[in-house]
Amino acid sequence: MIGSGVIFEWDPATNIYSKKIEFTDDGIDGCEPYGSLTLHNGKFYGMTSAGGNFGEGIIFEWGPDSNIFTRKWNF
């Protein structure tokens, strides 16, 4: 599996980088993240341009507190 994008956290005070979610090329949960994340009610929403059930990308939700990733829509 080749990585094609990540959601990460970086703490500038400690200079610590943490990978939270990795998108892979065979990703049923999407690959090739596209655009910016949107924050709403404590969760981030975004999309990918590939992957998912039909290979055309997904819309996803990610909760940073729980680190739970949920596929919301397949294109």
Side-chain angles (χ1 to χ4, degrees), residues 5-65:
V6 297
I7 297 175
F8 67 91
E9 177 180 65
W10 176 63
D11 183 337
T14 61
N15 201 31
I16 294 177
Y17 166 90
S18 302
K19 185 176 6 176
K20 299 298 184 178
I21 302 293
E22 183 171 7
F23 297 92
T24 58
D25 287 338
D26 64 351
I28 191 70
D29 284 328
C31 61
E32 299 178 24
Y34 184 82
S36 299
L37 296 176
T38 299
L39 178 63
H40 179 69
N41 289 335
K43 294 187 179 179
F44 286 96
Y45 295 85
M47 62 183 177
T48 68
S49 61
N53 288 349
F54 309 111
E56 299 295 323
I58 66 164
I59 294 175
F60 64 86
E61 171 188 272
W62 175 65
D65 292 338

